[in-house]
């Protein structure tokens, strides 16, 4: 792995660093070893023995009709499968953005067009080399409906993508975007062969070939020709299990080797169990937990009501009780302690002021759409209801299963008040990906004026000026936005004792370098 220093400040040093590390200059990393982490990167354990078969239980069954279909990837197991079958042009890993299939991504003078150079030596599972034509086809495909990530590519002039040679292509944009790498390629850029329209038998360039889907289990086998090195796990099985307690139980029963996302209660209960290890992701792998208020819908179109909700909440109590301390408080903007985060003061509870604002607005009742979206969310919702009752507001909880909650992502922005979570990432990246008008996860209903300011910030080619613009947007979101972002929940997994070498990128677990003691 070689490090390439470029003159871009914290906005481009994507990732999830904390403390003083966030203030250092950014690094653009070219992964030449399959993405193995550098010292201090996410992962645990040292080198050990290869593994014949590794079985993983992951949240949310692989429900897409075609397993390994990047156009239908959602959360949990679908992401785990996709990230092992396909490589992306770029990835976010431990506080850095990294080139994966891209060797370089560079803008023209005003950032209205970008040149992508493809890594040499990478091949698909059928042995054919990865070329610029493959990248062009992939970007056009994932950027067009029915892809559920088409909105990520709304700024790209897809028909105008031009292949220059086998390893080079140019990507024109509909408007200048200085943040193209962070807000588009980092977010979603899986690559598959040119001409691919049928994902029944998916072909990627990742470390694993998908060979079988049986019920909720997807079976993959190692691709020995992987450019990043021969995987240490010969066969990887991903089992979709919706319930966190069931995932942990299957690990304890020896049915799986690794359980992704267990509850804080499970982690505390099994802390002394020598047969397994509890794996904490730290700040680099956290969920940002919110109660989202849609500013376009009553009563949250009144900024005083949004302010009252924020004032009524005891954030530390929510973290202590719902997360059992496995997390930290938040102050309504994603990216706290990460690169590019504005200097925002900690929120303080003021029940009397909240009561006064609710009374002035005539708000006495609210309905919260919620469910166990992540472990602890339902308990947090119940505690929120108790806290708002102290400020004179009765909250009715509308409880849904996870599948029902996300059954139609196009309707997420139509609910006034709902529990929600985001992947913790730098604020500028989050705002670009989630708060613009066409984003399917824009659940706070940002105004047209805000979206115009966001677009102006994104278009700014100068890094310092763009960072200042995003700082102003964060302060605006802090003062009057629709997120009651109350806590950062660490990713907590569990593994059988002796399993090591698992690493995490963009909150997705990767097992191609896993070994056993």
């Amino acid at each position: 792995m070689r490090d390439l220093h470029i003159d871009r400040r914290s906005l481009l040093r994507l990732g999830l660093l904390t403390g003083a590390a966030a203030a250092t200059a950014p690094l653009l990393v070219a992964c030449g070893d399959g993405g193995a982490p550098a010292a201090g990167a996410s992962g645990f354990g040292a080198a050990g023995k290869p593994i014949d078969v590794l079985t993983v239980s992951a949240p949310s069954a692989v429900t897409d009709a075609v397993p390994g279909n990047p156009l239908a990837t959602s959360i949990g197991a679908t992401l785990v499968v996709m990230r092992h079958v396909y490589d992306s042009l770029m990835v976010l890993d431990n506080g850095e953005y990294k080139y994966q299939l891209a060797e370089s991504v560079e803008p023209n003078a005003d950032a209205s067009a970008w040149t992508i150079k493809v890594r040499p030596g990478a091949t698909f599972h059928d042995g054919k080399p990865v070329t610029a034509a493959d990248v062009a086809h992939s970007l056009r495909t994932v950027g067009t409906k029915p892809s559920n990530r088409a909105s990520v590519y709304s700024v790209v002039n897809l028909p105008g993508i031009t292949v220059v040679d086998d390893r080079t292509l140019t990507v024109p944009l509909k408007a200048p975007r200085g943040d193209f790498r962070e807000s588009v390629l980092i977010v979603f850029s899986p690559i598959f062969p040119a001409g691919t329209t049928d994902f029944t038998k998916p072909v990627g360039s990742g470390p694993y070939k998908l060979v079988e889907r049986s019920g909720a289990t997807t079976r993959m086998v190692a691709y020995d020709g992987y450019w990043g090195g021969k995987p240490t796990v010969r066969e990887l099985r991903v089992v979709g299990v919706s319930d966190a307690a069931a995932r942990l139980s299957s690990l304890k029963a020896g049915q799986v080797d690794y359980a992704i996302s267990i509850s804080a209660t499970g982690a505390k209960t099994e802390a002394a169990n020598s047969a397994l290890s509890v794996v904490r992701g730290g700040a680099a792998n956290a969920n940002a937990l919110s109660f989202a208020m849609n500013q376009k819908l009553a009563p949250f179109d009144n900024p005083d009501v949004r302010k009252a909700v924020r004032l009524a909440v005891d954030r530390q109590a929510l973290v202590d009780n719902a997360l059992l301390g496995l997390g930290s408080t938040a102050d309504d903007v994603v990216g706290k302690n990460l690169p590019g985060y504005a200097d925002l003061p900690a929120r303080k509870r003021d029940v009397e002021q909240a009561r006064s604002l609710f009374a002035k607005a005539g708000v006495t009742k609210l309905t919260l759409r919620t469910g166990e979206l992540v472990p602890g969310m339902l308990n947090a919702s119940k505690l929120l209801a108790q806290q708002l009752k102290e400020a004179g507001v009765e909250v009715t909880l509308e409880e849904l299963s996870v599948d029902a909650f996300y059954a139609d992502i196009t309707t997420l922005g139509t609910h006034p008040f709902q529990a929600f979570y985001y992947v913790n990432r730098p604020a500028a990246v989050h705002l670009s990906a989630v708060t613009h008008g066409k984003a399917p996860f824009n659940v706070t209903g940002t105004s047209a004026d805000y979206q115009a300011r966001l677009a102006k910030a994104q278009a700014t080619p100068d890094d310092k000026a763009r960072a200042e613009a995003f700082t102003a947007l964060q302060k605006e979101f802090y003062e009057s936005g629709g997120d009651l972002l109350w806590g950062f929940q660490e990713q907590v997994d569990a593994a059988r004792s002796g399993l090591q070498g698992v690493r995490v990128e963009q909150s997705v677990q990767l097992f191609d370098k896993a070994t056993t003691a």
Side-chain angles (χ1 to χ4, degrees):
M1 179 178 293
R2 56 190 179 91
D3 294 347
L4 303 176
H5 180 79
I6 61 176
D7 187 21
R8 293 185 178 265
R9 294 298 178 256
S10 56
L11 264 182
L12 293 182
R13 191 174 183 213
L14 304 179
L16 310 170
L17 298 177
T18 58
T24 60
L27 290 178
L28 177 65
V29 180
C31 294
D33 56 1
S42 302
F44 62 101
K49 301 175 183 177
I51 299 172
D52 288 332
V53 179
L54 182 70
T55 304
V56 177
S57 62
S60 302
V62 183
T63 54
D64 50 302
V66 181
N69 182 356
L71 309 187
T73 296
S74 55
I75 59 174
T78 59
L79 280 176
V80 174
V81 171
M82 191 200 76
R83 287 296 303 277
H84 286 85
V85 173
Y86 303 99
D87 282 325
S88 299
L89 289 174
M90 301 182 70
V91 295
L92 176 64
D93 180 20
N94 197 54
E96 300 164 333
Y97 71 98
K98 292 184 176 181
Y99 289 137
Q100 195 170 62
L101 279 183
E103 183 179 65
S104 64
V105 181
E106 297 296 336
N108 63 359
D110 67 351
S112 62
W114 292 71
T115 298
I116 299 175
K117 182 76 75 172
V118 179
R119 164 187 296 281
T123 60
F124 288 114
H125 299 153
D126 58 8
K128 296 179 181 178
V130 179
T131 69
D134 300 312
V135 173
H137 172 75
S138 299
L139 298 186
R140 292 189 186 108
T141 303
V142 300
T144 304
K145 292 183 178 181
S147 168
N148 62 12
R149 304 298 179 91
S151 65
V152 175
Y153 286 80
S154 61
V155 72
V156 179
N157 175 6
L158 296 172
I161 296 175
T162 302
V163 174
V164 177
D165 58 40
D166 282 350
R167 292 183 49 219
T168 311
L169 66 155
T170 58
V171 181
L173 308 182
K174 298 175 183 177
R177 284 290 290 271
D179 66 340
F180 172 68
R181 284 182 281 200
E182 309 95 291
S183 63
V184 178
L185 300 187
I186 288 288
V187 174
F188 197 71
S189 58
I191 303 303
F192 37 86
T196 301
T197 58
D198 181 359
F199 294 95
T200 304
K201 295 181 179 179
V203 175
S205 64
Y208 287 88
K209 297 184 286 186
L210 194 155
V211 295
E212 183 185 27
R213 162 79 178 279
S214 177
T217 301
T218 302
R219 188 167 68 89
M220 296 170 280
V221 297
Y223 175 46
D224 290 342
Y226 185 53
W227 62 267
K230 185 177 179 179
T232 54
V233 175
R234 301 306 304 159
E235 182 175 318
L236 177 63
R237 299 175 183 174
V238 178
V239 184
V241 180
S242 296
D243 183 67
R247 291 193 294 274
L248 180 57
S249 293
S250 65
L251 174 66
K252 293 172 65 177
Q255 297 168 337
V256 303
D257 304 293
Y258 194 98
I260 294 175
S261 189
I262 65 171
S263 68
T265 300
K268 292 285 187 180
T269 301
E270 303 301 330
N273 186 346
S274 60
L276 58 83
S277 300
V278 173
V279 185
R280 295 179 60 172
N285 302 285
N287 290 320
L289 308 185
S290 173
F291 296 114
M293 302 171 284
N294 194 316
Q295 302 170 70
K296 293 183 177 180
L297 302 175
F300 301 108
D301 53 351
N302 182 342
D304 282 347
V305 176
R306 302 196 299 271
K307 182 178 181 179
V309 172
R310 285 193 285 263
L311 287 169
V313 171
D314 185 337
R315 298 159 196 257
Q316 190 63 57
L318 286 168
V319 171
D320 291 343
N321 288 275
L323 306 184
L324 300 183
L326 294 176
S328 58
T329 58
D331 300 298
D332 303 323
V333 178
V334 171
K336 190 174 182 179
N337 293 331
L338 305 183
Y341 185 74
D343 185 17
L344 303 173
R347 294 287 194 190
K348 295 182 180 180
R349 192 185 192 205
D350 189 332
V351 176
E352 291 308 312
Q353 186 181 0
R355 183 188 297 273
S356 176
L357 289 170
F358 279 133
K360 180 182 176 182
V363 174
T364 59
K365 295 182 179 181
L366 292 171
T367 297
L368 177 69
R369 183 174 184 261
T370 189
E372 194 71 340
L373 312 182
V374 293
M377 185 65 90
L378 195 53
N379 283 340
S381 300
K382 294 175 181 178
L383 182 54
L384 173 74
Q386 296 175 22
Q387 293 176 355
L388 289 182
K389 187 174 183 179
E390 295 175 30
V393 175
E394 293 286 340
V395 177
T396 299
L397 300 183
E398 179 188 350
E399 297 182 21
L400 294 93
S401 68
V402 175
D403 290 342
F405 195 97
Y406 290 109
D408 184 355
I409 64 173
T410 64
T411 65
L412 289 174
T414 66
H415 304 286
F417 196 28
Q418 61 188 319
F420 215 73
Y421 78 97
Y422 314 98
V423 174
N424 189 27
R425 50 189 173 179
V429 180
H430 171 78
L431 295 177
S432 292
V434 173
T435 67
H436 69 81
K438 295 182 179 180
F441 299 113
N442 181 1
V443 292
T444 60
T446 50
S447 69
D449 287 344
Y450 167 89
Q451 291 168 29
R453 288 189 291 277
L454 173 63
K456 184 177 180 180
Q458 292 172 316
T460 304
D462 181 78
D463 298 321
K464 182 178 180 181
R466 190 168 69 254
E468 291 172 351
F470 272 109
T471 294
L473 288 171
Q474 291 173 62
K475 290 180 178 178
E476 177 179 344
F477 221 78
Y478 176 86
E479 292 295 336
S480 59
D483 271 322
L484 192 179
L485 197 75
W486 55 270
F488 292 104
Q489 177 190 46
E490 285 189 48
Q491 172 73 42
V492 182
D493 301 339
R496 64 173 171 81
S497 181
L499 183 64
Q500 51 198 20
V502 180
R503 64 195 198 282
V504 181
E505 291 177 357
Q506 292 175 264
S507 294
V508 179
Q509 293 76 3
L510 301 178
F511 299 94
D512 59 304
K513 302 294 183 183
T515 58
T516 189

